[in-house]
Structures are given as C-alpha cells and as structure tokens.
C-alpha cells in the first residue's frame, strides 16, 4: 500500500475531498484536488478550508514517507500551521510539499531522546502554474511512551 492509499484509507477528509496523491517520497509530496462544486467558495473556486486541507494532507504525506521507519517509536503530529492565500484559485489545484530539515537531523534528535520539530513548506498551484497559496506546517515526532 502506498502512502497515498494509506492516507485515503485512514483519513476521512482526504476521501471527502477526493484528494489524489500523485507523488509521495521523502523528498516531495504532490497532492491534487479536483474541481468540485460542493467545495467552492462564494467566487466559484475551492474554499479556503478545502485548500488548507489539501496542503496539510500533502505535508502529512511527506512526513509519513520521510519518517516511515520511525513510526514504531514516534507519532507524527502537526504542531502549528500558517497559510497565505496569494491569488484566486480556480479549477483543479495541486499542493507540493517539501521538508524544511534533513531527515537525518530530525532522527538524530529523536535518537537523543528529544521531541524534534521541523517545518514542511507547501505551495498550492492552479492548473496554469500560478501559486495561489503558500503554507508552512510545523510537525513533531512525539516519542511513544
């Protein structure tokens, strides 16, 4: 089972928004949200909450892909998120997430008994390539008790 398939199976919001996990590696996660009238805002584009969920889902996908070998000893949790809406989003939108710290540095902190935090940055683009939103989610790996 791929990371994307696992997220669709276990995260109801990913299913609700019909998110498509196009790429999920430790280097990059790319998630697309189809154009769906049920999730439009007052100007006919994707609702801000749907775009937030799209971007947060991309961040979760890269975290799981990057730290899959650590999941037996730590739980990934989002600590905080900030999003900026840059341009009007219309139609299909795609979120691309990248890790803000090297995986080895995060794992080294976990090995030291710390609870590491690390940012994931996400760009949301519409089909013409214009960046419609930028988001940063700070994640932690909480060691199991």
């Amino acid at each position: 089972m791929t990371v994307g398939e696992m997220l669709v199976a276990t995260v109801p919001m990913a299913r609700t928004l019909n998110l498509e996990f196009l790429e999920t590696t430790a280097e990059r996660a790319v998630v697309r949200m189809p154009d769906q009238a049920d999730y439009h805002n007052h100007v006919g584009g994707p609702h801000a909450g749907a775009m937030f969920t799209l971007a947060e889902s991309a961040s979760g996908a890269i975290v799981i892909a990057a730290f899959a070998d650590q999941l037996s000893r730590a739980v990934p949790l989002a600590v905080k998120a900030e999003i900026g809406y840059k341009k009007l989003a219309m139609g299909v939108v795609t979120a691309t997430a990248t890790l803000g710290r090297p995986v080895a540095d995060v794992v080294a902190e976990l090995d030291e008994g710390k609870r590491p935090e690390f940012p994931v940055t996400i760009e949301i683009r519409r089909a013409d390539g214009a960046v419609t939103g930028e988001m940063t989610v700070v994640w932690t790996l909480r060691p199991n008790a």
Side-chain angles (χ1 to χ4, degrees):
M1 179 179 286
T2 68
V3 170
E5 291 167 341
M6 189 266 304
L7 286 171
V8 168
T10 59
V11 179
M13 279 302 292
R15 286 192 308 277
T16 297
L17 292 177
N18 299 302
L19 300 183
E20 303 166 36
F21 291 82
L22 306 179
E23 181 181 338
T24 51
T25 68
E27 290 75 41
R28 192 168 94 130
V30 181
V31 183
R32 179 171 54 212
M33 184 172 60
D35 187 22
Q36 301 165 91
D38 285 349
Y39 306 113
H40 281 177
N41 58 21
H42 61 290
V43 293
H47 187 278
M51 289 182 28
F52 183 100
T53 300
L54 167 69
E56 193 277 340
S57 297
S59 78
I62 196 170
V63 168
I64 290 171
F67 300 105
D69 60 340
Q70 304 301 317
L71 299 182
S72 63
R73 68 180 185 141
V75 176
L77 297 169
V79 175
K80 63 183 173 181
E82 183 174 345
I83 191 165
Y85 301 101
K86 304 296 183 186
K87 289 187 178 186
L88 185 61
M90 297 297 280
V92 175
V93 286
T94 303
T96 302
T98 55
L99 280 178
R101 286 184 64 196
V103 171
D105 292 356
V106 175
V107 172
E109 279 189 32
L110 191 61
D111 289 342
E112 294 168 5
K114 297 178 182 174
R115 182 175 168 165
E117 289 190 0
F118 52 94
V120 176
T121 57
I122 308 100
E123 280 191 341
I124 305 168
R125 294 180 181 271
R126 58 187 187 212
D128 67 1
V131 174
T132 64
E134 295 173 335
M135 184 176 187
T136 300
V137 181
V138 175
W139 285 83
T140 188
L141 294 180
R142 186 192 74 200
N144 295 336

